[in-house]
Amino acid sequence: MTTLSFPPARVKASRKPQPRSVALLVPLMDTGKNAVVRITAGKLAVTYFLDRIPSDWGEAFAFTKTAGGEQPYHVNLNADAPSCDCPGHLRWGTSCKHIGAIKVLKAQGKLPS
């Protein structure tokens, strides 16, 4: 298991940024499916299934909480403007923990293209 740190997204001045880290618990299969990733922000740790998904532009991934019951969050790594459909990114328009996790894992060679 590899744990990598990445900077927290910008938040409102009234909140103290929480330290973040990402751990790739299970790597992507050859099909680009079923990786397991844990994102930790402060004391909160959430585990996701991570799947590569088709995209017309940029690389795209789906984060699905392992606890189930929720829709997946879709991340697109368009070089100009990465996007995510999680509530935090949609509300604040800044890089969220999902985008940050993908960028760190790719920079470390954990998610090959």
Side-chain angles (χ1 to χ4, degrees), residues 20-34:
R20 291 184 175 170
S21 65
V22 59
L24 181 64
L25 305 177
V26 177
L28 282 171
M29 297 175 62
D30 292 337
T31 60
K33 305 285 183 193
N34 298 329

Side-chain angles (χ1 to χ4, degrees), residues 1-7 20-24 38 40 100-101 103-110:
M1 175 178 84
T2 303
T3 301
L4 308 166
S5 295
F6 58 96
R20 291 184 175 170
S21 65
V22 59
L24 181 64
R38 180 181 305 126
T40 304
K103 285 182 175 181
V104 167
L105 291 171
K106 288 199 62 64
Q108 297 294 320
K110 305 294 182 190

Side-chain angles (χ1 to χ4, degrees), residues 48-106:
Y48 298 90
F49 292 113
L50 180 67
D51 297 321
R52 193 177 296 275
I53 56 175
S55 172
D56 289 337
W57 42 272
E59 285 187 274
F61 298 88
F63 281 88
T64 307
K65 290 184 180 179
T66 57
E70 294 186 33
Q71 293 294 322
Y73 300 135
H74 301 95
V75 174
N76 187 292
L77 289 185
N78 180 342
D80 295 332
S83 64
C84 181
D85 59 5
C86 73
H89 182 76
L90 293 176
R91 180 174 183 188
W92 302 109
T94 60
S95 183
C96 64
K97 63 184 176 185
H98 308 104
I99 294 172
I102 293 292
K103 285 182 175 181
V104 167
L105 291 171
K106 288 199 62 64

